[in-house]
Amino acid sequence: MPCALEQEREAKREYIRKHSKVIDPYAGLTDRIDIIKAYHLPAPGDPLITYTPFPGAIDKVYQALTGDEAQRLAEYAAEQLETDEDDSAIEIAMTLAAFTDADLAAVQKCLLSSECYEPAILFHGASEEVVNLLVERLGADPDLDGRILEALAWSEDRRVATYIAQWTQQPPDWASRLNVSVMNYMAEAGWTLDCHHQSRKLYLDACYALAPSDTETSDAIRVGGIDASICPWCEGELTRLFDLNLQDPRLALFPWRGNRLILSTCLLCACFAEEIYMHHDQEGEPVWSSHSKKSIYSPDYSEIVEPLATLNWKLSYQPRKARFAAVPFVPTTFSQIGGMPTWEQRAAYPDCPECHEVMTFIGQLNMAEVTEFGEGTYYAFLCPGCRISATNYQQT
């Protein structure tokens, strides 16, 4: 005879079986805007109701939007921001900012009226008027100054580089209250100032997604594989994160002299190091650099981390916008070559240990896309002039 508690549990399970419902919010929908609205519906308040997942990749739907459709969706998001109690309007606007060239002026107006400056990517392409308002608000609330600076960095207004140069040389009073330097906020939007105080991108405009393939490994790139070298810290085998064939047309704009470039790292030590640096010979082969920086936190070197086996992955033939995966909350895949990094924490572009310039981001591998229980992202960077690469790692 089951106990009373078990009888109660079984009665509850039976009630759920009889009364639960699965609703398909996409049934009968053909209009792209309606499909996107359905995708961003908040979870049903009734625990007995679940929605059918979207039967495809929603980022492809966003990419298929016409300019007019993207603009209508941006206006819809702005209208929803006025009344929504959930995050769907922000989700739509943020995804539009990443995937399209929609004018987000109406969204930015709503955010400014409520003194909200996040996500900063929503201020991409901000008008001169919006930039002026952001600059005017600096110093009014120390808790918001960092967020305003990130919004300015994303605006791509040419004047911002001039402002940053001025604020770096002659820091205003509010700058002393920032958690990090003014320049650090610019890195969140993927740029810095060069020695002439001109803006310099820290990423490649060309961007191609990496994804599993049902056919043979791509001729353009090999992902994973054992490197012949040994990590001098943990004595484990190194992994060839990316092996790039620079003769492929998709990699034609890669900033490197040579036909091949191999980017290797230690999967274990990269998780704890500040950066792992490699020197590269004329053939693009990597050699561990003594410039590599250990963190104050050391891994358990008795732990065995197997190098990543060669993955049957391919490089997309269809380029996507450089900012396509710039924020970790958009519905897409994140492993890629080129484009902007998907920082899981704060931006962490390494400095070249020889010329001391900030290195250029060239690719990332999201481990959640590699293995079922994978976590975090490995990032790769390059200083072409010094023929040095770097890798680091972040996870939430």
Side-chain angles (χ1 to χ4, degrees):
M1 183 72 180
C3 69
L5 184 57
E6 181 56 32
Q7 287 178 323
E8 182 180 338
R9 288 173 179 160
E10 179 55 34
K12 185 175 181 179
R13 287 193 288 265
E14 182 61 24
Y15 181 86
I16 292 174
R17 280 194 291 270
K18 287 183 177 180
H19 296 85
S20 61
K21 296 180 182 178
V22 177
I23 296 176
D24 183 359
Y26 309 102
L29 297 183
T30 57
D31 181 81
R32 285 186 284 261
I33 293 179
D34 290 338
I35 291 171
I36 289 172
K37 289 178 181 179
Y39 180 88
H40 291 284
L41 283 173
D46 189 336
L48 295 175
I49 297 177
T50 57
Y51 289 151
T52 301
F54 180 64
I58 197 67
D59 57 350
K60 304 298 183 189
V61 181
Y62 270 96
Q63 286 180 295
L65 290 171
T66 65
D68 179 65
E69 287 173 331
Q71 204 53 52
R72 283 162 50 202
L73 198 55
E75 291 166 5
Y76 166 80
E79 292 169 3
Q80 294 301 106
L81 277 174
E82 299 283 356
T83 58
D84 252 6
E85 295 181 0
D86 58 72
D87 296 327
S88 62
I90 288 291
E91 291 173 2
I92 291 173
M94 180 172 56
T95 310
L96 284 170
F99 295 174
T100 76
D101 291 318
D103 183 351
L104 298 176
V107 170
Q108 294 160 5
K109 181 179 178 181
C110 291
L111 295 175
L112 287 169
S113 66
S114 57
E115 296 189 351
C116 176
Y117 309 103
E118 295 179 307
I121 193 174
L122 294 180
F123 288 89
H124 178 263
S127 67
E128 181 177 334
E129 179 184 3
V130 169
V131 169
N132 289 341
L133 285 170
L134 290 170
V135 172
E136 288 172 9
R137 294 185 182 188
L138 282 168
D141 186 340
D143 293 333
L144 295 178
D145 285 343
R147 299 171 191 173
I148 294 174
L149 284 170
E150 281 190 38
L152 283 168
W154 272 103
S155 72
E156 294 192 344
D157 188 304
R158 293 184 178 181
R159 294 173 301 155
V160 174
T162 303
Y163 294 147
I164 298 302
Q166 293 172 352
W167 297 334
T168 301
Q169 294 172 329
Q170 298 179 324
D173 291 339
W174 50 261
S176 63
R177 299 189 292 269
L178 296 171
N179 294 324
V180 293
S181 71
V182 171
M183 281 307 310
N184 283 69
Y185 294 98
M186 304 306 104
E188 297 295 331
W191 62 277
T192 188
L193 293 181
D194 62 19
C195 59
H196 303 292
H197 305 299
Q198 300 297 310
S199 63
R200 175 173 79 86
K201 287 182 180 178
L202 298 176
Y203 59 90
L204 306 178
D205 283 321
C207 180
Y208 294 89
L210 284 167
S213 172
D214 295 330
T215 58
E216 295 181 3
T217 305
S218 171
D219 290 335
I221 184 171
R222 289 193 176 185
V223 180
I226 299 173
D227 193 283
S229 303
I230 298 297
C231 174
W233 295 346
C234 71
E235 299 183 354
E237 294 176 303
L238 297 180
T239 290
R240 290 192 165 187
L241 207 60
F242 303 125
D243 185 344
L244 300 165
N245 172 14
L246 300 183
Q247 294 178 299
D248 189 282
R250 287 165 288 181
L251 304 178
L253 297 179
F254 223 76
W256 189 256
R257 297 188 305 275
N259 296 328
R260 189 182 184 196
L261 178 62
I262 299 172
L263 300 156
S264 296
T265 193
C266 175
L267 295 185
L268 173 61
C269 295
C271 298
F272 297 89
E274 291 185 32
E275 284 90 29
I276 290 178
Y277 291 106
M278 298 279 178
H279 292 277
H280 293 265
D281 62 19
Q282 295 302 313
E283 303 302 320
E285 291 279 352
V287 177
W288 185 281
S289 170
S290 60
H291 293 299
S292 298
K293 300 177 185 177
K294 279 187 176 181
S295 167
I296 58 173
Y297 304 102
S298 296
D300 179 2
Y301 288 127
S302 65
E303 181 181 354
I304 298 176
V305 177
E306 297 293 335
L308 186 65
T310 302
L311 301 175
N312 196 32
W313 279 34
K314 65 181 179 181
L315 189 67
S316 172
Y317 281 94
Q318 181 66 39
R320 61 189 193 180
K321 292 188 179 300
R323 62 182 182 274
F324 203 87
V327 288
F329 311 110
V330 293
T332 190
T333 58
F334 298 98
S335 298
Q336 64 184 32
I337 295 297
M340 301 178 71
T342 314
W343 296 117
E344 299 198 24
Q345 299 172 24
R346 301 291 295 183
Y349 294 90
D351 292 336
C352 174
E354 296 198 353
C355 70
H356 308 295
E357 292 291 328
V358 185
M359 300 179 79
T360 299
F361 169 77
I362 55 172
Q364 63 189 22
L365 187 63
N366 182 283
M367 295 306 289
E369 297 167 4
V370 175
T371 61
E372 183 179 0
F373 300 107
E375 291 184 284
T377 301
Y378 290 93
Y379 307 89
F381 308 87
L382 203 60
C383 179
C386 298
R387 299 189 72 85
I388 292 179
S389 67
T391 52
N392 57 22
Y393 172 88
Q394 289 185 358
Q395 73 175 69
T396 52

